[in-house]
Amino acid sequence: MVVVMSPDATPEQIEAVVSRVRTTGGEAFVSRGVQRTIIGLVGDVDHFRALNLRSLPGVADVIAISTPYKLVSVDHQPARSTVVVGTGTGARPVMIGPDTFTLIAGPCAVESLAQTLEAAEMAKAAGATMLRGGAFKPRAAPREFQGLGKVGLHILAEVREVTGLPVVTEVIDPGDVDLVSGYADMLQVGARNMQNTALLQAVGRAGKPVLLKRGIQATVDEWLMAAEYVAQRGNLDIVLCERGIRTFETATATTLDIAAVPVVQRLSHLPVIVDPSHSAGRRDLVLPLSRAAIAVGADGILVDVHPDPEAALCDGPQALAGADVRELASTLRRLIPAAGRRLGDPSPVGL
Ligand code: PEP
Ligand code: MN
């Protein structure tokens, strides 16, 4: 159940709803939007009905949820969302949404300050307005590089300070969400954790935008239900990322489900971006798949770049460098206006 407060509802009226819900043993998660506040209720629906919440001052509507995802659906919000990333950390905030095409780029894994800084400069040169980089790496093989952890988070924050790029980085363990939130501008939930409900709930409570990758065996419905877990905890600043799914095809690491972009856009108001690097796992396919992402109407791409891919500790074969980065830059400059969008476009000053 969702309680929609009227635009002029006072903090006391919101609190009154929350405390009334708690009298039933239920939980109430407050999401303060620009225009209105919504309160997601988790618990016994019959108990909530008996509370007659609609009669409370400041309550505009009480919506019973009959579909598995509601907050993230176009029924709840027909207009496409824009997610703002990078406020309050000294970074230059970035908008991810329908008017822009956002390039997020950086190394797969943070390996050192010098490597991350160099990758961030390459990302910027390609037109990126956000930096990616893993400090906690969820590797399939247990003996492969697992990331620098907290040291990697420090490095990301330093590189943000130098470059002004907001940072997205993955969090794997629900117990690390507070730690990672202290450094990151956006929390990434990776493909392997898309259905880790404890993690989804923890990032939903963290108050930072979330980048939710699609699990390689997840249907679009399962992906949107995962997003609903985050939204239900009071966080609607979610960007979805299509990163390929497992099929019988072995020519690529996974099969990029390009149709998922418009499919999701018909079901959900959330921005959706594409990861051409992890989906194919092959450098030579990153540019063609980036072009496909622009043409299909994605809101951005997430691309691996590395100053020395041969020496990369993680995913070197898919990382762009040198001439490939320059080609990515010129491709974006040519094609994004043709798709009716603006490249990058940091948010207006003042956000
Ligand atoms: C990543 O982006 O670093 C990553 C591990 O991707 P995925 O979760 O999509 O495999
Ligand atoms: Mn990777």
Side-chain angles (χ1 to χ4, degrees):
M1 220 171 226
V2 174
V3 178
V4 182
M5 302 301 292
S6 52
D8 53 2
T10 64
E12 292 73 28
Q13 289 169 340
I14 294 167
E15 190 43 45
V17 173
V18 171
S19 31
R20 195 176 280 206
V21 168
R22 291 203 175 125
T23 60
T24 67
E27 286 183 280
F29 297 95
V30 178
S31 173
R32 288 184 172 81
V34 178
Q35 271 147 23
R36 58 186 177 171
T37 293
I38 59 163
I39 306 173
L41 311 190
V42 180
D44 188 318
V45 175
D46 290 334
H47 286 165
F48 296 151
R49 283 212 179 90
L51 293 174
N52 200 12
L53 295 169
R54 206 180 294 248
S55 67
L56 290 185
V59 172
D61 203 3
V62 177
I63 306 168
I65 295 180
S66 50
T67 57
Y69 48 87
K70 179 87 184 178
L71 296 173
V72 304
S73 83
V74 285
D75 299 337
H76 171 64
Q77 186 185 307
R80 309 211 62 74
S81 297
T82 296
V83 172
V84 181
V85 182
T87 48
T89 56
R92 184 127 196 251
V94 168
M95 293 192 295
I96 305 176
D99 300 329
T100 54
F101 186 90
T102 304
L103 171 63
I104 308 171
C108 180
V110 173
E111 299 167 17
S112 69
L113 177 59
Q115 168 256 6
T116 307
L117 196 52
E118 217 177 316
E121 296 299 349
M122 292 166 68
K124 243 181 152 170
T129 47
M130 271 185 72
L131 174 68
R132 63 145 290 142
F136 293 96
K137 294 304 307 172
R139 305 305 297 278
R143 289 192 179 77
E144 285 181 349
F145 179 57
Q146 306 285 314
L148 296 179
K150 196 171 172 184
V151 171
L153 297 175
H154 273 291
I155 291 174
L156 286 168
E158 271 190 82
V159 174
R160 171 178 54 216
E161 214 174 300
V162 176
T163 61
L165 298 173
V167 163
V168 57
T169 195
E170 181 160 355
V171 55
I172 295 170
D173 187 328
D176 285 338
V177 168
D178 285 346
L179 170 73
V180 179
S181 299
Y183 293 87
D185 296 283
M186 184 178 216
L187 303 174
Q188 178 170 325
V189 174
R192 290 162 187 78
N193 273 311
M194 191 209 81
Q195 285 179 311
N196 180 341
T197 54
L199 182 64
L200 296 170
Q201 290 167 357
V203 298
R205 285 189 291 261
K208 290 269 175 179
V210 173
L211 181 65
L212 179 62
K213 289 195 142 193
R214 180 181 183 181
I216 64 168
Q217 319 222 56
T219 63
V220 166
D221 267 2
E222 287 164 343
W223 189 16
L224 292 175
M225 285 191 275
E228 187 80 5
Y229 265 98
V230 178
Q232 200 185 36
R233 262 56 195 173
N235 187 353
L236 272 166
D237 290 331
I238 305 164
V239 174
L240 300 168
C241 180
E242 162 60 41
R243 52 80 68 231
I245 51 175
R246 179 160 286 173
T247 69
F248 56 81
E249 182 55 70
T250 55
T252 47
T254 51
T255 302
L256 180 63
D257 182 8
I258 199 75
V261 175
V263 167
V264 161
Q265 287 171 338
R266 287 198 174 95
L267 298 170
S268 172
H269 55 85
L270 298 178
V272 53
I273 68 169
V274 165
D275 181 342
S277 306
H278 286 85
S279 55
R282 286 172 47 170
R283 181 177 308 126
D284 62 330
L285 297 183
V286 171
L287 272 155
L289 296 181
S290 298
R291 294 197 294 267
I294 297 168
V296 85
D299 299 309
I301 46 175
L302 180 72
V303 174
D304 280 10
V305 297
H306 195 288
D308 184 4
E310 307 310 313
L313 296 180
C314 185
D315 287 349
Q318 72 195 31
L320 299 188
D324 287 333
V325 176
R326 287 190 288 280
E327 201 179 331
L328 176 66
S330 74
T331 300
L332 296 179
R333 270 199 300 272
R334 264 185 308 114
L335 295 190
I336 290 168
R341 292 175 183 251
R342 298 185 302 272
L343 171 60
D345 197 29
S347 62
V349 178
L351 255 177

